[in-house]
Amino acid sequence: PTPLEARGGAGQPPAGNPPPGNPPVAGAPKPSNPNQALGQQLFDQCVRYVARGGQGVTRTNDFQIGLTAELDLDTTRHRGPMRLWWKAPDKYRQEMTTRGQSTTKILNNEFMWIIHPNGRVQRMHGTPDGASAVRQLKDDRERMADLAQFITLRSLAGPTVRFDFAGEKTGSGSYRGKWVKITRTAPGATRMHFWLAYDKNARGAYVAKYPGIIRVEGDARKGIPTEDFILKQWVDSPASQRSSFRYPREIEAFSINPGRPSVRFLRATVNTISINAGIPDARFKPPAARRR
């Protein structure tokens, strides 16, 4: 059963909610449909909350995060520190440390290398056993790109994007909380659902805060699972960060396939984070020495 249950009012904005008073963050025309107008308003409020009252990051060019993580993927099991770097559009670096020994994986477009704890560099692309490793790291790269957007949010809005209000929800377990739900639809893009934490003002209108749960729909026909990202304990960004924003200190992620129990593939604490810090391209190249 779904961990999120409707609490009434789904699909209809409450009468106490006035139409949006501020223009959409992304500058899109105000929707005429009441559900879409309220959905856009809530998303814009969420962007401003995460941006600490600002307009948010228009475009995420690079993203770096340090975690203490439990990771369980098809070909990867890890417990301990992780550092991840992503740079648009196709660069990714993953560093995992276990008992003081670090293994690094680099994906630069279609090219992949593994740097072993002893410094040996192993090329994976174009090798008999490398295809599955490249495919897994591409999946990880896409999740990293998604996470960067989930935390900055504004790049998910735009003139052709629609946000539909879907009512109040409540959840239990990892999904516990009271939320307002909006659904994002965009041409040619995967549909997303956002469960937003909220307050109500003196008139009883919603005031959205941070995204507590984000669901990215999968495609069962292609074997792509639906994935839920649960973002908790939002705090202010480090003083050293160029721009000011809020980010989640705790992250959980679940994979959902029809007819099967959901599987948690990530539970992590965020230790460090930076956005648009200017990661050099050299970070996504292997050392030349001891390459095989």
Side-chain angles (χ1 to χ4, degrees):
T2 175
L4 296 156
E5 303 296 338
R7 291 183 58 240
Q12 293 296 325
N17 270 78
N22 297 318
V25 169
K30 185 195 299 183
S32 58
N33 180 297
N35 269 4
Q36 293 172 22
L38 179 55
Q40 181 72 61
Q41 178 189 16
L42 293 170
F43 187 81
D44 291 345
Q45 290 173 346
C46 191
V47 169
R48 292 189 181 92
Y49 179 90
V50 170
R52 298 188 63 195
Q55 289 293 301
V57 177
T58 306
R59 178 181 174 85
T60 307
N61 299 310
D62 60 57
F63 183 62
Q64 177 181 341
I65 190 167
L67 308 166
T68 302
E70 299 176 12
L71 182 66
D72 294 286
L73 299 171
D74 291 343
T75 60
T76 305
R77 299 288 186 275
H78 176 72
R79 301 290 186 273
M82 290 178 61
R83 292 198 296 168
L84 309 171
W85 296 260
W86 171 83
K87 186 172 184 178
D90 55 16
K91 295 179 174 63
Y92 179 64
R93 180 183 178 111
Q94 176 190 93
E95 182 181 294
M96 299 183 180
T97 302
T98 304
R99 295 188 292 276
Q101 299 289 311
S102 294
T103 300
T104 299
K105 297 179 182 180
I106 295 173
L107 185 64
N108 193 326
N109 194 354
E110 299 290 328
F111 304 102
M112 177 184 170
W113 300 269
I114 298 176
I115 306 172
H116 295 274
N118 64 0
R120 179 173 65 89
V121 179
Q122 181 181 6
R123 191 191 82 181
M124 302 303 293
H125 56 275
T127 65
D129 300 326
S132 62
V134 171
R135 185 166 54 251
Q136 177 67 71
L137 207 58
K138 282 185 176 180
D139 288 345
D140 294 351
R141 181 177 66 189
E142 292 307 307
R143 290 189 180 104
M144 185 67 165
D146 286 347
L147 184 59
Q149 288 190 306
F150 298 160
I151 291 176
T152 57
L153 286 179
R154 185 178 174 185
S155 60
L156 291 171
T160 61
V161 179
R162 192 180 81 202
F163 293 95
D164 288 280
F165 174 73
E168 295 184 10
K169 309 288 178 178
T170 189
S172 59
S174 294
Y175 295 77
R176 67 183 174 273
K178 294 182 178 180
W179 318 99
V180 286
K181 181 184 176 183
I182 59 175
T183 295
R184 177 187 184 270
T185 306
T190 300
R191 191 161 63 165
M192 297 181 183
H193 307 273
F194 296 80
W195 284 262
L196 309 178
Y198 67 95
D199 292 323
K200 285 189 176 182
N201 64 20
R203 293 174 294 178
Y206 297 124
V207 180
K209 298 192 291 184
Y210 56 87
I213 305 160
I214 301 175
R215 173 168 293 170
V216 182
E217 286 191 2
D219 188 337
R221 294 169 300 179
K222 297 180 180 179
I224 301 173
T226 291
E227 292 185 342
D228 284 357
F229 294 83
I230 301 174
L231 312 177
K232 305 176 182 178
Q233 298 184 31
W234 287 74
V235 297
D236 290 348
S237 59
S240 58
Q241 178 65 34
R242 292 179 183 178
S243 57
S244 181
F245 58 91
R246 292 183 172 102
Y247 71 97
R249 279 276 291 155
E250 303 290 335
I251 300 173
E252 286 186 276
F254 292 83
S255 179
I256 303 169
N257 286 287
R260 304 180 193 173
S262 62
V263 176
R264 183 173 61 201
F265 63 85
L266 175 66
R267 180 164 59 184
T269 300
V270 178
N271 301 317
T272 60
I273 188 169
S274 65
I275 298 170
N276 290 347
I279 302 174
D281 286 346
R283 179 70 67 180
F284 307 97
K285 297 178 182 179
R290 303 181 67 182
R291 184 179 298 176
R292 190 185 76 177

